Amino acid sequence: MKSVITCLPLKERHKQMLEQVSTECVFCHLGTQRPTKEQLSEANVVIGNLPPALLADAPKLELLQLNSAGTDGYTVPGLLPEGAKLANASGAYGLAISEHMVGCVLALMKKLPLYLENQKQHQWKDEGPVRSVYGSRTLVVGMGDIGSEFARRMNAMGSEVIGVRRHAGDKPDYVAEVCTMDRLDEELEKADIIACSLPGTPSTCHLFDEERIRKMKRGAILVNVGRGTLIDPEVLAWALTEGYLGGACVDVTEPEPLPADSVLWNAPNLILTPHVSGGYHLEITLDRIVEIAARNLKAVCEGGEIVNEVDCSSGYRKLENRHRNS
């Protein structure tokens, strides 16, 4: 028998989906509560993002199925028992987050934040020329589930899309070109919109520093929905204030929650949301997370391959598993 702990706000249909995987599983559905030390001591599978420190109490763990695409804090050497696998929820968030990104980009290009502010001030005021997605050039940095879904939508609206990924691979039909990270600086100079959905790793920390932002086309729009550590908040505020950027949309910040005295709160042309583009705000996202978890639970029970298995040395999904949730 496999002991399975779920730490997600599951509905009855989600519980049934998991429980139908195998009669050889015993489930403990905790919702958003944390498991006890005794429960963890017997757990073979945990579904949900437990605080990493609690995993020291799970010596029998075979699979930790995260409910997030990010793996920050879970790839530390020795955190998981030897032989245990880590899987993320990539494939669940693309729809919700890409639509959030498109909404923010359109809002900035059409100056909607300015008009909302004018509305509050009871001002009937023309704010002048706007821009169009049609005919623009979009650079998508990170071509995983979220980046790919955003690329599809921008391409559909008439933007020329260039993708950037760590490794060379096939070019999807919705992008004009896919290049590797060594071309990042070159492509930044050409892009009207730069959209980032990179994980939080040592190699991505402050990847967008002052030097790199200065290489962007003046007036470009920068979007970040991956991890806040990608961009130094002081640098982002400076770039917006000085007009190097024409606008920015950030759903993630450094740190989180964002302190009340952060310079970002008053930065111009910034749409700032508190890490809400994903989560369970769109109901289908949780459905997709449970579908991934059910597939992996079946793999544990039957000796199959884990989808979305994470390479703990890099924090990314293993290359051979990436196509399975595309």
Side-chain angles (χ1 to χ4, degrees):
M1 299 295 285
K2 300 288 186 184
S3 173
V4 182
I5 294 175
T6 67
C7 304
L8 295 169
L10 302 178
K11 297 184 177 180
E12 284 305 313
R13 71 174 188 276
H14 298 138
K15 295 176 184 178
Q16 291 175 11
M17 184 185 301
L18 292 171
E19 291 170 3
Q20 288 171 358
V21 168
S22 174
T23 57
E24 298 300 311
C25 292
V26 176
F27 287 84
C28 179
H29 298 297
L30 297 179
T32 57
Q33 295 181 351
R34 293 184 180 182
T36 65
K37 188 171 183 178
E38 291 71 26
Q39 289 169 329
L40 281 171
S41 68
E42 296 299 322
N44 302 112
V45 177
V46 172
I47 301 172
N49 287 32
L50 289 181
L54 295 184
L55 297 171
D57 295 325
K60 298 181 181 179
L61 192 66
E62 298 174 42
L63 171 68
L64 172 60
Q65 171 65 65
L66 300 177
N67 57 261
S68 63
T71 60
D72 310 36
Y74 295 98
T75 58
V76 178
L79 179 71
L80 300 179
E82 185 175 355
K85 296 185 182 296
L86 174 68
N88 69 8
S90 182
Y93 292 96
L95 173 62
I97 297 180
S98 65
E99 288 187 350
H100 176 97
M101 295 164 74
V102 169
C104 288
V105 168
L106 286 171
L108 285 172
M109 296 187 96
K110 304 306 178 184
K111 298 184 176 178
L112 297 187
L114 288 177
Y115 286 110
L116 285 172
E117 187 58 35
N118 290 346
Q119 180 181 339
K120 293 177 184 177
Q121 301 301 323
H122 299 187
Q123 291 184 349
W124 185 272
K125 181 183 177 184
D126 189 328
E127 292 292 350
V130 297
R131 292 185 281 172
S132 177
V133 170
Y134 183 83
S136 67
R137 185 178 176 95
T138 298
L139 184 66
V140 179
V141 186
M143 286 290 289
D145 172 46
I146 295 166
S148 295
E149 289 296 322
F150 179 69
R152 288 178 191 272
R153 286 157 176 74
M154 296 301 284
N155 172 70
M157 291 191 292
S159 184
E160 181 183 39
V161 181
I162 308 297
V164 180
R165 57 161 61 112
R166 289 191 309 144
H167 302 287
D170 295 337
K171 182 187 79 64
D173 58 8
Y174 48 85
V175 300
E177 184 182 359
V178 175
C179 57
T180 50
M181 289 295 287
D182 59 305
R183 288 261 306 277
L184 177 61
D185 289 345
E186 176 186 342
E187 293 298 331
L188 285 174
E189 299 173 359
K190 309 172 189 176
D192 301 294
I193 301 149
I194 300 100
C196 307
S197 54
L198 297 173
T201 67
S203 64
T204 63
C205 185
H206 291 182
L207 182 67
F208 283 79
D209 54 14
E210 181 176 338
E211 180 182 358
R212 186 152 275 129
I213 286 179
R214 285 183 181 273
K215 292 178 180 178
M216 295 182 188
K217 179 188 288 189
R218 196 173 182 93
I221 291 174
L222 177 61
V223 182
N224 186 27
V225 294
R227 287 295 181 265
T229 52
L230 185 76
I231 310 169
D232 185 311
E234 299 282 344
V235 171
L236 179 57
W238 160 83
L240 290 164
T241 302
E242 296 299 321
Y244 280 95
L245 291 176
C249 320
V250 294
D251 186 49
V252 288
T253 62
E254 181 187 36
E256 292 183 11
L258 191 66
D261 60 353
S262 171
V263 293
L264 289 182
W265 291 112
N266 295 316
N269 296 319
L270 174 65
I271 296 179
L272 172 63
T273 50
H275 209 143
V276 293
S277 63
Y280 309 129
H281 296 84
L282 193 64
E283 188 172 357
I284 194 174
T285 300
L286 183 54
D287 294 343
R288 291 179 172 182
I289 291 170
V290 174
E291 288 170 4
I292 293 167
R295 291 170 66 184
N296 281 340
L297 180 58
K298 183 176 181 180
V300 169
C301 294
E302 299 179 1
E305 289 188 78
I306 301 295
V307 297
N308 286 0
E309 184 178 353
V310 174
D311 179 351
C312 289
S313 66
S314 68
Y316 289 83
R317 283 182 297 160
K318 292 186 175 181
L319 289 174
E320 61 269 23
N321 288 317
R322 290 187 183 181
H323 70 282
R324 294 192 176 97
N325 273 326
S326 299

